[in-house]
């Protein structure tokens, strides 16, 4: 019979000598694997007489426990030593700058829309939306632009080939249909702005087939042109962040307003560039007017009870004027160099923290 003491001494020496994970695993297999020395001893218990078994059994089990414990301990020791060696060999320089993550930017159009929403929110306006696929009634008829009206031709409308529920469908040519959608779904008093995409079949340096407008609508009792002028003045001062904003209201024509006014804003020349503010020259910025009674009627309201004003303008153009960009097409080219230059950081957006003010 194998001398247990000799076997134990041999295994303990082998365990102490094992200096890699593989070496310790080899010892484990040799002792405790299927054909291992201790496993074989345990199997031999079955063939022993009961007396022998009683005397040998506890010794063999004790040997197995002792060897198992020694292997585990050696393994842990080796792992710890490997980790210590690794930590000693590698140094971490905590002063190195962290790698910069790729960062997107906020498009000037989104930035300006946010600014507009913020300014008008200060004046009690909420943001309304409407569908970009519109029907002909909301886009034209209800806005006092009947089928025969020349304004329909002027809008270069994209029509859909098929009718929906008997209606001619189109890509909205302006945000004005949101006026109709709001007046037919909400009870006055109404104070909304509606920023969004609009479409016209037009393309050159100053026109793109898709562009952005913002609409404003106020419906209440006793509203007059004075309210319109104050609102626009307050808005333009906050938007351009200047107090010397001068407005000029010129009589104009829009089918959905009566009277209609075109609004010019004064500019001055600074370092050879036109800058909004002052009154060295005039730039047209908005269309507006008092909402036509026919429009109010088309929405099911009594024009003798409810009046209001509306205005509409191009968001892209406002962005160009404020942030000094001169080619509209670049807005929609998706050129990363342009976006990096003109885009705004999402985390560091200039806000109109002063707001509209008192
Ligand atoms: N919808 C007009 C356009 O696209 C702009 C406009 C003019 C909107 C006068 C208005 C308004 O609300 O009162 O050209």
């Amino acid at each position: 019979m194998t001398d247990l003491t000799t076997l134990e001494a041999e295994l303990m020496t082998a365990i102490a000598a094992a200096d890699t994970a593989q070496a310790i695993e080899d010892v484990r297999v040799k002792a405790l694997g299927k054909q291992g020395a201790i496993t074989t001893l345990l199997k031999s218990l079955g063939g022993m007489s009961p007396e022998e078994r009683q005397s040998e059994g506890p010794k063999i089990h004790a040997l197995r426990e002792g060897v198992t414990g020694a292997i585990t301990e050696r393994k842990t020791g080796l792992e710890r030593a490997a980790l210590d060696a690794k930590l000693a060999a590698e140094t971490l320089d905590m002063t190195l700058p962290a790698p910069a993550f790729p960062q997107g930017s906020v498009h000037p159009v989104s930035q300006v829309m946010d600014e507009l929403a913020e300014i008008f929110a200060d004046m009690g306006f909420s943001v309304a939306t409407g569908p970009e696929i519109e029907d002909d009634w909301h886009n034209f008829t209800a806005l006092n632009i009947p089928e025969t009206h020349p304004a329909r031709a002027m809008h270069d409308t994209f029509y859909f080939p098929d009718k929906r529920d008997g209606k001619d469908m189109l890509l909205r040519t302006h945000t004005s249909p949101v006026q109709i959608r709001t007046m037919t779904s909400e009870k006055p008093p109404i104070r909304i702005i509606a920023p969004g995409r609009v479409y016209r079949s037009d393309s050159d340096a100053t026109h793109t087939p898709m562009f952005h407008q913002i609409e404003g609508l106020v419906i209440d009792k006793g509203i007059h042109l004075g309210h319109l002028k104050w609102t626009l003045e307050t808005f333009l001062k906050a938007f351009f962040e200047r107090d010397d904003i001068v407005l000029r209201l010129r009589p104009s024509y829009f089918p959905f307003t009566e009277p209609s006014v075109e609004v010019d804003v004064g500019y001055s020349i600074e370092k050879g560039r036109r800058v909004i503010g002052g009154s060295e020259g005039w730039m047209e910025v908005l269309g507006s007017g008092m909402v036509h009674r026919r429009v109010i009627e088309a929405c099911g309201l009594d024009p003798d009870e409810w009046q209001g004003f509306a205005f509409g303008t191009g968001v892209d153009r406002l962005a160009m004027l404020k942030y000094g960009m001169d080619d509209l097409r670049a807005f929609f080219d998706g050129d990363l160099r342009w976006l990096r230059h003109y885009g705004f950081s999402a985390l560091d957006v200039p806000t109109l923290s002063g707001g509209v003010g008192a």
Side-chain angles (χ1 to χ4, degrees):
M1 180 184 277
T2 324
D3 180 348
L4 291 185
T5 321
T6 314
L7 177 61
E8 181 172 20
E10 267 174 27
L11 287 172
M12 289 304 186
T13 313
I15 291 168
D19 55 1
T20 62
Q22 187 54 52
I24 193 77
E25 175 62 11
D26 289 346
V27 180
R28 191 193 65 78
V29 171
K30 235 171 88 187
L32 303 158
K34 267 193 192 150
Q35 320 283 335
I38 299 178
T39 315
T40 312
L41 282 173
L42 284 166
K43 280 185 195 155
S44 71
L45 284 173
M48 290 180 191
S49 66
E51 297 77 34
E52 250 183 325
R53 199 179 303 141
Q54 211 161 32
S55 82
E56 290 307 305
K59 288 188 211 154
I60 297 173
H61 279 292
L63 174 64
R64 188 183 64 165
E65 256 165 56
V67 168
T68 308
I71 288 175
T72 311
E73 202 175 303
R74 182 75 186 134
K75 229 179 180 171
T76 320
L78 283 174
E79 280 165 7
R80 200 172 297 142
L83 183 63
D84 286 347
K86 199 169 170 213
L87 286 176
E90 286 174 11
T91 48
L92 265 186
D93 185 350
M94 305 301 264
T95 65
L96 277 177
F101 288 100
Q103 234 184 21
S105 59
V106 176
H107 194 284
V109 170
S110 308
Q111 166 69 19
V112 164
M113 284 195 181
D114 286 350
E115 290 178 14
L116 294 171
E118 195 176 325
I119 292 168
F120 279 100
D122 273 358
M123 291 194 272
F125 286 65
S126 53
V127 173
T129 55
E132 289 171 31
I133 297 176
E134 220 0 318
D135 61 57
D136 156 287
W137 187 79
H138 286 90
N139 196 79
F140 291 127
T141 315
L143 285 160
N144 194 31
I145 314 176
E147 227 157 276
T148 51
H149 201 286
R152 289 215 183 189
M154 273 159 50
H155 273 210
D156 302 311
T157 313
F158 287 113
Y159 281 97
F160 284 85
D162 302 319
K163 287 179 191 280
R164 189 196 284 169
D165 302 329
K167 293 180 202 155
D168 283 322
M169 301 304 289
L170 46 84
L171 288 176
R172 67 178 182 191
T173 58
H174 51 175
T175 42
S176 303
V178 184
Q179 290 188 33
I180 306 301
R181 296 214 167 254
T182 308
M183 279 190 273
T184 50
S185 64
E186 279 173 33
K187 279 201 170 68
I190 289 169
R191 264 192 259 181
I192 54 120
I193 53 162
R197 281 189 279 266
V198 301
Y199 303 83
R200 290 183 201 180
S201 176
D202 211 350
S203 184
D204 59 35
T206 52
H207 297 89
T208 47
M210 185 281 298
F211 57 106
H212 300 85
Q213 283 192 338
I214 180 163
E215 194 78 12
L217 174 71
V218 169
I219 299 285
D220 207 332
K221 289 181 179 167
I223 296 291
H224 54 73
L225 265 181
H227 295 120
L228 168 63
K229 183 162 186 265
W230 179 87
T231 306
L232 295 181
E233 218 166 62
T234 309
F235 144 53
L236 291 167
K237 277 183 183 169
F239 180 72
F240 288 109
E241 298 172 63
R242 291 181 69 127
D243 283 329
D244 60 346
I245 297 285
V246 192
L247 295 191
R248 191 171 74 170
L249 272 56
R250 278 182 294 111
S252 182
Y253 171 75
F254 299 104
F256 32 87
T257 44
E258 181 59 38
S260 301
V261 289
E262 247 159 318
V263 180
D264 297 339
V265 63
Y267 64 80
S268 37
I269 308 283
E270 282 177 22
K271 294 187 196 132
R273 266 191 61 211
R274 284 183 189 184
V275 177
I276 301 293
S279 55
E280 285 179 51
W282 300 97
M283 219 182 285
E284 187 197 320
V285 287
L286 284 151
S288 65
M290 301 306 295
V291 180
H292 200 296
R293 9 188 332 120
R294 287 211 200 119
V295 174
I296 295 180
E297 262 165 3
C299 296
L301 298 172
D302 177 359
D304 291 322
E305 188 182 0
W306 300 104
Q307 305 80 43
F309 63 78
F311 56 88
T313 185
V315 175
D316 316 297
R317 205 171 121 72
L318 286 178
M320 289 165 85
L321 285 175
K322 179 165 176 180
Y323 294 112
M325 294 155 274
D326 49 20
D327 187 355
L328 176 65
R329 286 172 296 193
F331 274 60
F332 312 119
D333 279 349
D335 182 337
L336 277 178
R337 288 164 307 174
W338 188 91
L339 288 168
R340 283 197 191 107
H341 183 77
Y342 288 111
F344 294 84
S345 159
L347 301 174
D348 186 25
V349 188
T351 55
L352 302 158
S353 46
V356 162

PDB file of all heavy atoms in Angstrom, residues 155 173-176 179 200 211 213-216 254 256-257 261 286-290 309-313, ligand 1:
ATOM      1  N   HIS A 155     -47.660  80.159 -54.900  1.00  0.00           N
ATOM      2  CA  HIS A 155     -47.030  79.338 -53.863  1.00  0.00           C
ATOM      3  C   HIS A 155     -46.240  78.134 -54.379  1.00  0.00           C
ATOM      4  O   HIS A 155     -45.630  77.428 -53.602  1.00  0.00           O
ATOM      5  CB  HIS A 155     -48.087  78.868 -52.860  1.00  0.00           C
ATOM      6  CG  HIS A 155     -48.315  79.862 -51.762  1.00  0.00           C
ATOM      7  ND1 HIS A 155     -48.694  79.514 -50.495  1.00  0.00           N
ATOM      8  CD2 HIS A 155     -48.193  81.193 -51.751  1.00  0.00           C
ATOM      9  CE1 HIS A 155     -48.823  80.596 -49.745  1.00  0.00           C
ATOM     10  NE2 HIS A 155     -48.520  81.636 -50.505  1.00  0.00           N
ATOM     11  N   THR A 173     -47.508  74.901 -47.825  1.00  0.00           N
ATOM     12  CA  THR A 173     -46.615  75.901 -48.422  1.00  0.00           C
ATOM     13  C   THR A 173     -46.247  76.981 -47.414  1.00  0.00           C
ATOM     14  O   THR A 173     -45.395  77.807 -47.678  1.00  0.00           O
ATOM     15  CB  THR A 173     -47.295  76.573 -49.626  1.00  0.00           C
ATOM     16  OG1 THR A 173     -48.521  77.161 -49.180  1.00  0.00           O
ATOM     17  CG2 THR A 173     -47.591  75.559 -50.715  1.00  0.00           C
ATOM     18  N   HIS A 174     -46.915  76.983 -46.279  1.00  0.00           N
ATOM     19  CA  HIS A 174     -46.617  77.939 -45.217  1.00  0.00           C
ATOM     20  C   HIS A 174     -47.138  77.388 -43.885  1.00  0.00           C
ATOM     21  O   HIS A 174     -47.820  76.354 -43.875  1.00  0.00           O
ATOM     22  CB  HIS A 174     -47.198  79.334 -45.521  1.00  0.00           C
ATOM     23  CG  HIS A 174     -48.657  79.360 -45.899  1.00  0.00           C
ATOM     24  ND1 HIS A 174     -49.353  80.519 -46.095  1.00  0.00           N
ATOM     25  CD2 HIS A 174     -49.561  78.356 -46.110  1.00  0.00           C
ATOM     26  CE1 HIS A 174     -50.600  80.248 -46.417  1.00  0.00           C
ATOM     27  NE2 HIS A 174     -50.746  78.953 -46.434  1.00  0.00           N
ATOM     28  N   THR A 175     -46.792  78.050 -42.793  1.00  0.00           N
ATOM     29  CA  THR A 175     -47.281  77.562 -41.495  1.00  0.00           C
ATOM     30  C   THR A 175     -48.660  78.140 -41.161  1.00  0.00           C
ATOM     31  O   THR A 175     -49.246  77.782 -40.132  1.00  0.00           O
ATOM     32  CB  THR A 175     -46.275  77.910 -40.363  1.00  0.00           C
ATOM     33  OG1 THR A 175     -45.798  79.240 -40.560  1.00  0.00           O
ATOM     34  CG2 THR A 175     -45.111  76.939 -40.337  1.00  0.00           C
ATOM     35  N   SER A 176     -49.190  78.985 -42.043  1.00  0.00           N
ATOM     36  CA  SER A 176     -50.493  79.602 -41.758  1.00  0.00           C
ATOM     37  C   SER A 176     -51.640  78.607 -41.524  1.00  0.00           C
ATOM     38  O   SER A 176     -52.545  78.909 -40.735  1.00  0.00           O
ATOM     39  CB  SER A 176     -50.858  80.595 -42.865  1.00  0.00           C
ATOM     40  OG  SER A 176     -49.837  81.562 -42.990  1.00  0.00           O
ATOM     41  N   GLN A 179     -52.829  78.177 -38.060  1.00  0.00           N
ATOM     42  CA  GLN A 179     -53.816  79.147 -37.527  1.00  0.00           C
ATOM     43  C   GLN A 179     -55.195  78.511 -37.561  1.00  0.00           C
ATOM     44  O   GLN A 179     -55.948  78.553 -36.577  1.00  0.00           O
ATOM     45  CB  GLN A 179     -53.887  80.401 -38.415  1.00  0.00           C
ATOM     46  CG  GLN A 179     -52.698  81.312 -38.391  1.00  0.00           C
ATOM     47  CD  GLN A 179     -53.002  82.603 -39.166  1.00  0.00           C
ATOM     48  OE1 GLN A 179     -54.137  83.082 -39.179  1.00  0.00           O
ATOM     49  NE2 GLN A 179     -51.990  83.160 -39.810  1.00  0.00           N
ATOM     50  N   ARG A 200     -41.966  74.421 -50.971  1.00  0.00           N
ATOM     51  CA  ARG A 200     -42.364  75.040 -52.238  1.00  0.00           C
ATOM     52  C   ARG A 200     -41.420  74.572 -53.332  1.00  0.00           C
ATOM     53  O   ARG A 200     -40.223  74.385 -53.075  1.00  0.00           O
ATOM     54  CB  ARG A 200     -42.313  76.562 -52.154  1.00  0.00           C
ATOM     55  CG  ARG A 200     -43.405  77.114 -51.254  1.00  0.00           C
ATOM     56  CD  ARG A 200     -43.417  78.618 -51.217  1.00  0.00           C
ATOM     57  NE  ARG A 200     -44.104  79.034 -50.001  1.00  0.00           N
ATOM     58  CZ  ARG A 200     -44.290  80.299 -49.644  1.00  0.00           C
ATOM     59  NH1 ARG A 200     -43.838  81.282 -50.428  1.00  0.00           N
ATOM     60  NH2 ARG A 200     -44.914  80.600 -48.527  1.00  0.00           N
ATOM     61  N   PHE A 211     -38.117  74.653 -46.372  1.00  0.00           N
ATOM     62  CA  PHE A 211     -37.527  75.666 -45.507  1.00  0.00           C
ATOM     63  C   PHE A 211     -38.389  75.790 -44.247  1.00  0.00           C
ATOM     64  O   PHE A 211     -39.313  74.985 -44.064  1.00  0.00           O
ATOM     65  CB  PHE A 211     -37.342  77.005 -46.234  1.00  0.00           C
ATOM     66  CG  PHE A 211     -38.601  77.604 -46.820  1.00  0.00           C
ATOM     67  CD1 PHE A 211     -39.210  78.710 -46.227  1.00  0.00           C
ATOM     68  CD2 PHE A 211     -39.182  77.085 -47.970  1.00  0.00           C
ATOM     69  CE1 PHE A 211     -40.361  79.278 -46.759  1.00  0.00           C
ATOM     70  CE2 PHE A 211     -40.341  77.643 -48.515  1.00  0.00           C
ATOM     71  CZ  PHE A 211     -40.928  78.742 -47.912  1.00  0.00           C
ATOM     72  N   GLN A 213     -40.629  78.066 -41.382  1.00  0.00           N
ATOM     73  CA  GLN A 213     -41.337  79.309 -41.057  1.00  0.00           C
ATOM     74  C   GLN A 213     -41.774  79.259 -39.607  1.00  0.00           C
ATOM     75  O   GLN A 213     -41.794  78.207 -38.981  1.00  0.00           O
ATOM     76  CB  GLN A 213     -42.605  79.445 -41.916  1.00  0.00           C
ATOM     77  CG  GLN A 213     -42.346  79.872 -43.342  1.00  0.00           C
ATOM     78  CD  GLN A 213     -43.648  80.263 -44.047  1.00  0.00           C
ATOM     79  OE1 GLN A 213     -44.738  79.851 -43.651  1.00  0.00           O
ATOM     80  NE2 GLN A 213     -43.524  81.039 -45.107  1.00  0.00           N
ATOM     81  N   ILE A 214     -42.121  80.438 -39.130  1.00  0.00           N
ATOM     82  CA  ILE A 214     -42.788  80.480 -37.829  1.00  0.00           C
ATOM     83  C   ILE A 214     -43.994  81.385 -37.982  1.00  0.00           C
ATOM     84  O   ILE A 214     -43.925  82.440 -38.615  1.00  0.00           O
ATOM     85  CB  ILE A 214     -41.857  80.935 -36.692  1.00  0.00           C
ATOM     86  CG1 ILE A 214     -42.619  80.948 -35.370  1.00  0.00           C
ATOM     87  CG2 ILE A 214     -41.248  82.294 -36.970  1.00  0.00           C
ATOM     88  CD1 ILE A 214     -41.737  80.989 -34.161  1.00  0.00           C
ATOM     89  N   GLU A 215     -45.091  80.887 -37.450  1.00  0.00           N
ATOM     90  CA  GLU A 215     -46.351  81.610 -37.535  1.00  0.00           C
ATOM     91  C   GLU A 215     -46.693  82.097 -36.136  1.00  0.00           C
ATOM     92  O   GLU A 215     -46.353  81.429 -35.155  1.00  0.00           O
ATOM     93  CB  GLU A 215     -47.425  80.591 -37.976  1.00  0.00           C
ATOM     94  CG  GLU A 215     -48.707  81.182 -38.444  1.00  0.00           C
ATOM     95  CD  GLU A 215     -48.590  81.709 -39.867  1.00  0.00           C
ATOM     96  OE1 GLU A 215     -47.592  81.409 -40.553  1.00  0.00           O
ATOM     97  OE2 GLU A 215     -49.503  82.443 -40.275  1.00  0.00           O
ATOM     98  N   GLY A 216     -47.356  83.225 -36.049  1.00  0.00           N
ATOM     99  CA  GLY A 216     -47.845  83.668 -34.745  1.00  0.00           C
ATOM    100  C   GLY A 216     -49.319  83.997 -34.892  1.00  0.00           C
ATOM    101  O   GLY A 216     -49.757  84.468 -35.950  1.00  0.00           O
ATOM    102  N   PHE A 254     -52.052  90.412 -47.914  1.00  0.00           N
ATOM    103  CA  PHE A 254     -52.118  88.959 -47.771  1.00  0.00           C
ATOM    104  C   PHE A 254     -53.598  88.636 -47.730  1.00  0.00           C
ATOM    105  O   PHE A 254     -54.369  89.379 -47.116  1.00  0.00           O
ATOM    106  CB  PHE A 254     -51.452  88.479 -46.465  1.00  0.00           C
ATOM    107  CG  PHE A 254     -49.991  88.814 -46.381  1.00  0.00           C
ATOM    108  CD1 PHE A 254     -49.549  89.861 -45.575  1.00  0.00           C
ATOM    109  CD2 PHE A 254     -49.052  88.100 -47.119  1.00  0.00           C
ATOM    110  CE1 PHE A 254     -48.202  90.184 -45.508  1.00  0.00           C
ATOM    111  CE2 PHE A 254     -47.702  88.425 -47.058  1.00  0.00           C
ATOM    112  CZ  PHE A 254     -47.276  89.465 -46.250  1.00  0.00           C
ATOM    113  N   PHE A 256     -55.227  86.556 -46.064  1.00  0.00           N
ATOM    114  CA  PHE A 256     -55.772  86.176 -44.755  1.00  0.00           C
ATOM    115  C   PHE A 256     -55.683  87.268 -43.710  1.00  0.00           C
ATOM    116  O   PHE A 256     -56.020  87.055 -42.546  1.00  0.00           O
ATOM    117  CB  PHE A 256     -55.100  84.885 -44.255  1.00  0.00           C
ATOM    118  CG  PHE A 256     -53.668  84.744 -44.708  1.00  0.00           C
ATOM    119  CD1 PHE A 256     -52.631  85.289 -43.976  1.00  0.00           C
ATOM    120  CD2 PHE A 256     -53.378  84.081 -45.904  1.00  0.00           C
ATOM    121  CE1 PHE A 256     -51.324  85.168 -44.415  1.00  0.00           C
ATOM    122  CE2 PHE A 256     -52.059  83.961 -46.348  1.00  0.00           C
ATOM    123  CZ  PHE A 256     -51.029  84.503 -45.615  1.00  0.00           C
ATOM    124  N   THR A 257     -55.195  88.446 -44.090  1.00  0.00           N
ATOM    125  CA  THR A 257     -55.167  89.553 -43.128  1.00  0.00           C
ATOM    126  C   THR A 257     -55.738  90.812 -43.761  1.00  0.00           C
ATOM    127  O   THR A 257     -55.612  91.037 -44.962  1.00  0.00           O
ATOM    128  CB  THR A 257     -53.723  89.843 -42.650  1.00  0.00           C
ATOM    129  OG1 THR A 257     -52.858  89.834 -43.781  1.00  0.00           O
ATOM    130  CG2 THR A 257     -53.244  88.830 -41.638  1.00  0.00           C
ATOM    131  N   VAL A 261     -49.757  94.107 -43.213  1.00  0.00           N
ATOM    132  CA  VAL A 261     -48.551  94.942 -43.163  1.00  0.00           C
ATOM    133  C   VAL A 261     -47.316  94.089 -43.379  1.00  0.00           C
ATOM    134  O   VAL A 261     -47.254  92.928 -42.956  1.00  0.00           O
ATOM    135  CB  VAL A 261     -48.398  95.705 -41.822  1.00  0.00           C
ATOM    136  CG1 VAL A 261     -49.410  96.810 -41.690  1.00  0.00           C
ATOM    137  CG2 VAL A 261     -48.451  94.761 -40.639  1.00  0.00           C
ATOM    138  N   LEU A 286     -40.881  90.349 -41.888  1.00  0.00           N
ATOM    139  CA  LEU A 286     -42.109  89.639 -41.508  1.00  0.00           C
ATOM    140  C   LEU A 286     -43.285  90.046 -42.359  1.00  0.00           C
ATOM    141  O   LEU A 286     -43.362  91.185 -42.823  1.00  0.00           O
ATOM    142  CB  LEU A 286     -42.519  90.033 -40.094  1.00  0.00           C
ATOM    143  CG  LEU A 286     -41.850  89.522 -38.869  1.00  0.00           C
ATOM    144  CD1 LEU A 286     -41.968  90.564 -37.788  1.00  0.00           C
ATOM    145  CD2 LEU A 286     -42.531  88.244 -38.428  1.00  0.00           C
ATOM    146  N   GLY A 287     -44.236  89.113 -42.500  1.00  0.00           N
ATOM    147  CA  GLY A 287     -45.545  89.462 -43.039  1.00  0.00           C
ATOM    148  C   GLY A 287     -46.512  89.382 -41.879  1.00  0.00           C
ATOM    149  O   GLY A 287     -46.378  88.518 -41.020  1.00  0.00           O
ATOM    150  N   SER A 288     -47.474  90.294 -41.847  1.00  0.00           N
ATOM    151  CA  SER A 288     -48.420  90.223 -40.731  1.00  0.00           C
ATOM    152  C   SER A 288     -49.661  91.050 -41.023  1.00  0.00           C
ATOM    153  O   SER A 288     -49.797  91.648 -42.090  1.00  0.00           O
ATOM    154  CB  SER A 288     -47.755  90.720 -39.446  1.00  0.00           C
ATOM    155  OG  SER A 288     -47.451  92.089 -39.577  1.00  0.00           O
ATOM    156  N   GLY A 289     -50.541  91.077 -40.063  1.00  0.00           N
ATOM    157  CA  GLY A 289     -51.752  91.868 -40.225  1.00  0.00           C
ATOM    158  C   GLY A 289     -52.815  91.428 -39.248  1.00  0.00           C
ATOM    159  O   GLY A 289     -52.595  90.539 -38.422  1.00  0.00           O
ATOM    160  N   MET A 290     -53.968  92.095 -39.370  1.00  0.00           N
ATOM    161  CA  MET A 290     -55.101  91.710 -38.524  1.00  0.00           C
ATOM    162  C   MET A 290     -55.835  90.566 -39.231  1.00  0.00           C
ATOM    163  O   MET A 290     -56.111  90.652 -40.438  1.00  0.00           O
ATOM    164  CB  MET A 290     -56.055  92.890 -38.334  1.00  0.00           C
ATOM    165  CG  MET A 290     -55.408  94.114 -37.693  1.00  0.00           C
ATOM    166  SD  MET A 290     -54.576  93.754 -36.118  1.00  0.00           S
ATOM    167  CE  MET A 290     -55.971  93.292 -35.097  1.00  0.00           C
ATOM    168  N   PHE A 309     -54.433  89.195 -34.435  1.00  0.00           N
ATOM    169  CA  PHE A 309     -53.416  89.454 -35.456  1.00  0.00           C
ATOM    170  C   PHE A 309     -52.616  88.187 -35.703  1.00  0.00           C
ATOM    171  O   PHE A 309     -52.643  87.253 -34.891  1.00  0.00           O
ATOM    172  CB  PHE A 309     -52.495  90.614 -35.055  1.00  0.00           C
ATOM    173  CG  PHE A 309     -51.677  90.405 -33.809  1.00  0.00           C
ATOM    174  CD1 PHE A 309     -50.525  89.622 -33.829  1.00  0.00           C
ATOM    175  CD2 PHE A 309     -52.050  91.013 -32.608  1.00  0.00           C
ATOM    176  CE1 PHE A 309     -49.757  89.455 -32.686  1.00  0.00           C
ATOM    177  CE2 PHE A 309     -51.283  90.839 -31.455  1.00  0.00           C
ATOM    178  CZ  PHE A 309     -50.133  90.051 -31.497  1.00  0.00           C
ATOM    179  N   ALA A 310     -51.961  88.175 -36.857  1.00  0.00           N
ATOM    180  CA  ALA A 310     -51.142  87.024 -37.209  1.00  0.00           C
ATOM    181  C   ALA A 310     -49.857  87.542 -37.836  1.00  0.00           C
ATOM    182  O   ALA A 310     -49.808  88.677 -38.317  1.00  0.00           O
ATOM    183  CB  ALA A 310     -51.874  86.125 -38.189  1.00  0.00           C
ATOM    184  N   PHE A 311     -48.836  86.730 -37.781  1.00  0.00           N
ATOM    185  CA  PHE A 311     -47.599  87.080 -38.483  1.00  0.00           C
ATOM    186  C   PHE A 311     -46.893  85.800 -38.899  1.00  0.00           C
ATOM    187  O   PHE A 311     -47.153  84.722 -38.349  1.00  0.00           O
ATOM    188  CB  PHE A 311     -46.671  87.946 -37.615  1.00  0.00           C
ATOM    189  CG  PHE A 311     -46.311  87.330 -36.292  1.00  0.00           C
ATOM    190  CD1 PHE A 311     -45.222  86.486 -36.177  1.00  0.00           C
ATOM    191  CD2 PHE A 311     -47.071  87.587 -35.161  1.00  0.00           C
ATOM    192  CE1 PHE A 311     -44.883  85.920 -34.952  1.00  0.00           C
ATOM    193  CE2 PHE A 311     -46.739  87.012 -33.939  1.00  0.00           C
ATOM    194  CZ  PHE A 311     -45.653  86.175 -33.831  1.00  0.00           C
ATOM    195  N   GLY A 312     -46.054  85.958 -39.904  1.00  0.00           N
ATOM    196  CA  GLY A 312     -45.308  84.787 -40.354  1.00  0.00           C
ATOM    197  C   GLY A 312     -43.980  85.234 -40.911  1.00  0.00           C
ATOM    198  O   GLY A 312     -43.867  86.314 -41.504  1.00  0.00           O
ATOM    199  N   THR A 313     -42.959  84.395 -40.678  1.00  0.00           N
ATOM    200  CA  THR A 313     -41.656  84.752 -41.216  1.00  0.00           C
ATOM    201  C   THR A 313     -40.790  83.501 -41.381  1.00  0.00           C
ATOM    202  O   THR A 313     -41.150  82.426 -40.901  1.00  0.00           O
ATOM    203  CB  THR A 313     -40.944  85.789 -40.320  1.00  0.00           C
ATOM    204  OG1 THR A 313     -39.732  86.193 -40.943  1.00  0.00           O
ATOM    205  CG2 THR A 313     -40.623  85.234 -38.949  1.00  0.00           C
TER     206      THR A 313
HETATM  207  N1  LIG B   1     -48.002  82.787 -44.905  1.00  0.00           N
HETATM  208  C1  LIG B   1     -47.264  83.890 -45.479  1.00  0.00           C
HETATM  209  C2  LIG B   1     -46.221  83.375 -46.450  1.00  0.00           C
HETATM  210  O1  LIG B   1     -45.871  82.245 -46.395  1.00  0.00           O
HETATM  211  C3  LIG B   1     -46.583  84.690 -44.407  1.00  0.00           C
HETATM  212  C4  LIG B   1     -47.560  85.437 -43.561  1.00  0.00           C
HETATM  213  C5  LIG B   1     -47.944  86.710 -43.877  1.00  0.00           C
HETATM  214  C6  LIG B   1     -48.111  84.838 -42.456  1.00  0.00           C
HETATM  215  C7  LIG B   1     -48.848  87.423 -43.129  1.00  0.00           C
HETATM  216  C8  LIG B   1     -49.028  85.545 -41.668  1.00  0.00           C
HETATM  217  C9  LIG B   1     -49.398  86.831 -42.030  1.00  0.00           C
HETATM  218  O2  LIG B   1     -49.581  85.012 -40.608  1.00  0.00           O
HETATM  219  O3  LIG B   1     -50.275  87.518 -41.292  1.00  0.00           O
HETATM  220  O4  LIG B   1     -45.759  84.110 -47.260  1.00  0.00           O
END
